Amino acid sequence: MRFDLPQGRPGRVIGLLGGSFDPAHEGHAHITREAIKRLGLDEVWWLVSPGNPLKAKGPRAMDARLERARQVMQHPRVTITDIEAKLGTRYTAETLGRLFDLYPKVRFVWLMGADNLAQFHRWENWDWIMGALPVAVIARPGQRVAARMSPAAQTFRDHRVPGRHARRIVHMDPPAWTLVNVPMRPHSSSEIRARGEWSD
């Protein structure tokens, strides 16, 4: 294992929360804590990405986003990492393939907000992702209906596990996914940027 990559010990169940985190905020921290609790995760890794292929404008510099993420998310079971930049991967499916190779004895779970599920079908190889590892979707304000009606949710509707049984997905063979309703936090990276609180 490369010394500059996270240590994924065999047998661990690790949640992966990817995104540009531009900037990270309490909403990200909130869904991370809820995922640890609701899914019984051993750890969560934040994958701070070099950039979002679906967004025309790039995010702030990686160093600034990593520093902000570490300020926002201080938890003994959470690792903030720029693993995608280190691996040179651009798309989530590509990153997951590399992680599976690097950590063959780790059980990974993909974490995302309900807003991401609503447009998940636009991701590169999104259906492969759903079939590659369990997926936990964390409800966000105003997005639950859009998430439930999304092409991804409809395509994999027969593999959905009720939120009250969310812990089961970490031990199931994919595809297996759940939509977990948690107490809402209204924070938004785009709103923080719009208010001028996160600028160069």
Side-chain angles (χ1 to χ4, degrees):
M1 181 58 57
R2 286 170 38 175
F3 71 90
D4 57 344
L5 298 182
Q7 296 298 310
R9 298 199 298 276
R12 302 284 276 180
V13 180
I14 299 177
L16 302 172
L17 183 66
S20 55
F21 296 96
D22 187 32
H25 52 69
E26 173 55 29
H28 295 126
H30 174 62
I31 68 171
T32 299
R33 291 189 296 265
E34 289 291 332
I36 291 172
K37 179 173 64 175
R38 303 292 183 97
L39 301 171
L41 302 175
D42 295 313
E43 309 173 42
V44 171
W45 295 354
W46 281 18
L47 308 183
V48 182
S49 69
N52 184 341
L54 295 179
K55 293 183 178 179
K57 183 180 178 182
R60 280 192 67 178
M62 176 68 79
D63 287 347
R65 290 182 287 127
L66 287 170
E67 180 180 357
R68 167 73 175 233
R70 292 181 179 121
Q71 293 171 354
V72 168
M73 185 77 259
Q74 298 183 24
H75 192 289
R77 289 157 64 184
V78 178
T79 299
I80 311 299
T81 175
D82 59 348
I83 194 169
E84 288 185 302
K86 288 184 167 67
L87 295 177
T89 55
R90 177 170 169 79
Y91 297 101
T92 296
E94 185 184 7
T95 300
L96 291 175
R98 293 294 305 277
L99 291 178
F100 295 158
D101 290 339
L102 289 166
Y103 306 95
K105 296 184 179 179
V106 168
R107 180 74 167 177
F108 288 114
V109 179
W110 185 254
L111 309 175
M112 63 179 168
D115 54 332
N116 279 322
L117 182 64
Q119 49 94 51
F120 191 51
H121 58 287
R122 296 175 57 202
W123 291 27
E124 186 84 5
N125 294 324
W126 66 273
D127 49 349
W128 178 88
I129 296 171
M130 291 292 284
L133 77 171
V135 174
V137 181
I138 313 299
R140 291 192 53 174
Q143 292 289 342
R144 281 181 285 199
V145 173
R148 289 192 185 101
M149 299 305 295
S150 69
Q154 292 301 306
T155 299
F156 288 91
R157 59 184 176 275
D158 294 338
H159 301 280
R160 179 181 171 189
V161 174
R164 64 183 179 278
H165 300 308
R167 283 176 178 254
R168 294 181 183 175
I169 71 165
V170 303
H171 303 294
M172 295 173 66
D173 291 330
W177 70 282
T178 189
L179 179 63
V180 182
N181 291 318
V182 301
M184 295 295 185
R185 299 290 173 88
H187 304 79
S188 162
S189 294
S190 58
E191 290 180 4
I192 292 172
R193 293 195 302 272
R195 291 197 299 266
E197 298 172 13
W198 179 249
S199 58
D200 295 322

